[in-house]
Amino acid sequence: MKFRYFFLALALAVLTVVSIAGFRGQHFTKPPFEVLPDMIYQDKVKDQVPSAFFADGNSARAPIPGTVAEEMPADNSYWATGKWDDTHWGDGIPVHDAVDGGRPLQIDAADMARGRERYTISCEVCHGAAGDGKGITSKYGLNGAANYHQDKYRQETDGQLFDTITNGHGQMLGYGYNVTIDDRWRIVMYIRALQRSQNAAYADASPDEQAQLDKTKKPVAPAPAPAPAAPQPTSAPAKPAGSASNGSKGTDRIYATHQSREASPAVTYLSQRTMKGWVEMYY
C-alpha cells in the first residue's frame, strides 16, 4: 500500500518537472526553465561567436605568420629533407641568402659559432663536447650515444646527419620540432668541424699552431752505427746485418729499427677556435 503512494508521488514529480523544464531539444516560444545551466553556458570561446576578451571582438585568432596548413604540399627539397630525391642522400651545405628578414646560411665563422651553440644546447649532453659520445648521460648508464669520430659517421653524408637530427635514430628522439632547419644544417657544419679537429693533418693547422707543433716536435735520434759482425765459421752462412739469435731452435729473428725514418708530427687535436680548414673543407 505504501509503495502505491510512493510511485504515485514519483509520477507526479516527473510530470511536474517535465511540464516546467520541457523535454531536451524541444522548442518553446519562451526560454525554458533551466535548473543546472552550467554545462550549457560555459565560460569559453566558441567558433564564430563574438568575444569581449579580445580588442577586435573576434573570438577566432588569425594564424601566426608562417603557419602551414595540413593540406598544403610539403617542401621536399634537399634543404628540408637532406635528400636529392626519395632514395638518394645528398651531400653539402645548402647555402642561401637571407629570407623574410632571417639570416643567411653560409659557411663562415658566424654560422659555425651558431652551430656550436645549438650543438651545446641540444646535443652535447649525450654526444659530448668533442662529439665522442661521452656526454654527461654516459655517467648515468646511457652509453649508446654515437661517437662521431668513428669511420661510419665520418663517411655519412651531410644529408644523413641532417635527417638524424630531424627525425632521430634509435634511442635518440628527433629535434625537428624545436630546432629550425637552418640551425640543423649549422649543427651538421659543427659536427664536421669536430670530426676534422680530431682527425686533422699538419697542413690543417694555422701557421701559428704549426710553429708551436714544430717547437714540441721531438728531434729524431740518429741511427746507431751497426756493430761489427762477429767472425763466423767458414762452414756457417753469415747472419744478416742487424740480426740476433732468439735462442729457439737455432733460428734468427730480424729486428727492424724505426729510428732511421724521419718522424712526421702527429696532429690529433686542434683547438676548437681554429677556423682554418673548417671552412675550406666545404668548398
Side-chain angles (χ1 to χ4, degrees):
M1 196 69 173
K2 293 182 179 180
F3 280 105
R4 179 184 304 175
Y5 293 116
F6 170 77
F7 286 116
L8 179 60
L10 180 61
L12 291 175
V14 170
L15 290 175
T16 303
V17 171
V18 171
S19 62
I20 296 176
F23 292 101
R24 180 72 177 178
Q26 184 178 353
H27 295 281
F28 295 91
T29 57
K30 295 181 180 181
F33 177 76
E34 297 170 336
V35 180
L36 299 173
D38 296 348
M39 297 300 295
I40 299 176
Y41 301 101
Q42 300 180 21
D43 293 332
K44 65 180 181 180
V45 177
K46 295 183 178 180
D47 296 337
Q48 309 300 324
V49 175
S51 173
F53 182 80
F54 299 104
D56 59 3
N58 294 324
S59 60
R61 299 291 85 200
I64 62 175
T67 300
V68 178
E70 291 183 358
E71 62 271 14
M72 293 182 66
D75 182 0
N76 293 321
S77 65
Y78 171 62
W79 171 77
T81 63
K83 292 183 178 180
W84 293 128
D85 52 38
D86 292 338
T87 57
H88 295 85
W89 295 109
D91 210 1
I93 305 299
V95 298
H96 61 77
D97 296 329
V99 179
D100 297 333
R103 56 186 298 175
L105 177 61
Q106 303 293 341
I107 311 299
D108 55 20
D111 276 10
M112 186 69 72
R114 173 76 177 181
R116 179 181 183 180
E117 178 189 65
R118 298 296 97 184
Y119 177 91
T120 301
I121 293 173
S122 301
C123 313
E124 181 178 319
V125 63
C126 292
H127 295 282
D132 54 4
K134 297 180 181 179
I136 188 64
T137 57
S138 65
K139 301 183 182 299
Y140 296 92
L142 184 61
N143 299 314
N147 178 359
Y148 292 128
H149 306 297
Q150 294 178 346
D151 287 341
K152 70 174 184 177
Y153 296 112
R154 286 178 179 159
Q155 295 169 3
E156 280 189 349
T157 65
D158 295 334
Q160 287 177 281
L161 287 176
F162 175 85
D163 179 76
T164 300
I165 297 172
T166 303
N167 300 311
H169 182 76
Q171 295 181 351
M172 173 183 167
L173 299 178
Y175 283 84
Y177 68 96
N178 63 352
V179 178
T180 64
I181 293 178
D182 280 354
D183 280 346
R184 282 175 248 163
W185 285 115
R186 294 183 180 103
I187 292 176
V188 172
M189 290 165 50
Y190 184 67
I191 291 175
R192 294 305 192 197
L194 288 176
Q195 292 174 333
R196 189 64 173 269
S197 72
Q198 302 296 312
N199 191 38
Y202 179 75
D204 291 326
S206 65
D208 293 339
E209 289 180 329
Q210 288 181 3
Q212 293 179 2
L213 290 171
D214 291 337
K215 291 179 181 179
T216 59
K217 177 181 175 181
K218 295 182 179 180
V220 178
Q232 300 293 330
T234 56
S235 60
K239 292 184 179 181
S243 67
S245 174
N246 63 4
S248 174
K249 297 182 181 180
T251 58
D252 289 327
R253 178 171 53 191
I254 304 299
Y255 292 93
T257 174
H258 296 275
Q259 295 180 351
S260 61
R261 296 188 304 175
E262 182 178 358
S264 59
V267 181
T268 58
Y269 179 77
L270 298 178
S271 170
Q272 293 183 9
R273 295 173 296 179
T274 301
M275 295 305 301
K276 184 180 184 301
W278 290 14
V279 176
E280 296 173 357
M281 64 184 291
Y282 294 102
Y283 288 103

